[in-house]
Amino acid sequence: MVNTPEKFRAMKMARRRIAALTAYDYPTARLLDEEGVDVILVGDSVGMVVLGFPDTTSVTMEHMVHHAGAVARGVKEALVVADLPYGSCDTPADAVANSRRLAAAGAGAVKIEGALTEQIAAIIAAGIPVMGHLGMLPQHVKEEGGYHVKGKTPEQANALLEEARAVESAGAFAVVLELVQPGVAAYITGALGIPTIGIGSGNDCDGQILVTHDLIGLFPWFRPRFAKPEADVSKDIRAAIAAYKKRIQ
């Protein structure tokens, strides 16, 4: 694996933007890797765009291990990061045990939602790199009653900054900032020594991540407002199916 967690701090220092996308299967992962994507995230978003769940909270460790293995088999150079799903990090011991399962499946690092500093430190002590995730936390969507932008008030902004510093101090090599006010995300980016990877948080983070299905138009039934599609694969699939039906009838 060419892209190691240690490389990303150097990328921040060199102002080299980090390109990150999601994958949940072998062919998608292989395509992303061959196109030079830096980070391939096996996200728990698999629950929504592949498995048909209404949110990420139904995703299990079994789901994540299965999909992490498929992705890892398609990757030669990108850093494969796998999400620790809802309920998998209730204690540091749980976090370590489940991180080891993902690492055994082929993940080069894990991602954990929230400023769970004890869990982060324990996972790193076990020899597994950790990516943080702050701002809007999809695993808490039911508690928060939806997906809301974070950092709208000075109090929220300060809390996010302190959480980001805590995640960095715990040893995370990078942190995703999801749906954070762009100005706040930019300030946090400048305050940290580790890279930030934004999603719906403006253009001033050290990198960007999108769900690949949103990027290529493979999930036409819903697309986040911040996602700019570069293709409409669903249209091509529909056309191919219609052509096939016409040909065989």
Side-chain angles (χ1 to χ4, degrees):
M1 182 177 295
V2 175
N3 283 349
T4 63
E6 293 76 19
K7 178 179 177 180
F8 292 98
R9 187 184 290 266
M11 291 174 67
K12 179 183 179 85
M13 296 297 294
R15 302 196 176 198
R16 198 314 220 149
R17 302 271 283 177
I18 298 165
L21 287 167
T22 61
Y24 318 105
D25 57 65
Y26 173 88
T28 303
R30 185 167 175 176
L31 287 168
L32 297 184
D33 190 56
E34 290 176 356
E35 288 303 310
V37 172
D38 300 305
V39 175
I40 297 177
L41 174 67
V42 189
D44 57 5
S45 48
V46 65
M48 301 172 72
V49 298
V50 175
L51 302 178
F53 295 133
D55 53 55
T56 66
T57 61
S58 296
V59 176
T60 66
M61 275 302 303
E62 285 67 30
H63 292 135
M64 294 306 304
V65 168
H66 173 84
H67 289 280
V71 168
R73 287 188 286 274
V75 173
K76 292 182 179 179
E77 296 190 1
L79 177 66
V80 176
V81 180
D83 268 342
L84 285 158
Y86 181 77
S88 65
C89 300
D90 291 341
T91 68
D94 290 339
V96 170
N98 287 316
S99 294
R100 283 176 170 154
R101 292 182 65 187
L102 293 171
V110 298
K111 181 166 73 65
I112 186 170
E113 285 192 13
L116 303 180
T117 55
E118 290 186 17
Q119 285 88 332
I120 292 171
I123 296 166
I124 293 168
I128 301 169
V130 177
M131 177 181 285
H133 184 147
L134 299 173
M136 193 283 290
L137 305 178
Q139 293 176 11
H140 295 265
V141 64
K142 291 181 178 178
E143 303 161 33
E144 299 199 355
Y147 303 95
H148 305 295
V149 175
K150 301 297 182 177
K152 288 184 173 181
T153 67
E155 292 78 16
Q156 286 184 0
N158 288 332
L160 280 170
L161 176 60
E162 290 308 308
E163 287 180 347
R165 284 175 168 158
V167 166
E168 179 179 26
S169 295
F173 71 90
V175 60
V176 169
L177 299 178
E178 182 164 0
L179 286 184
V180 174
Q181 283 278 21
V184 175
Y187 185 78
I188 292 172
T189 298
L192 298 184
I194 60 173
T196 61
I197 301 175
I199 178 167
S201 299
N203 297 321
D204 293 319
C205 294
D206 297 302
Q208 296 290 326
I209 186 167
L210 278 178
V211 172
T212 297
H213 288 62
D214 296 334
L215 177 69
I216 65 175
L218 189 54
F219 196 83
W221 306 280
F222 173 78
R223 188 181 76 238
R225 285 179 292 179
F226 58 79
K228 177 186 175 184
E230 300 290 351
D232 190 353
V233 171
S234 64
K235 181 179 178 180
D236 292 337
I237 291 174
R238 293 182 194 274
I241 294 167
Y244 167 74
K245 288 175 61 181
K246 183 177 181 180
R247 174 162 57 87
I248 68 168
Q249 288 173 348

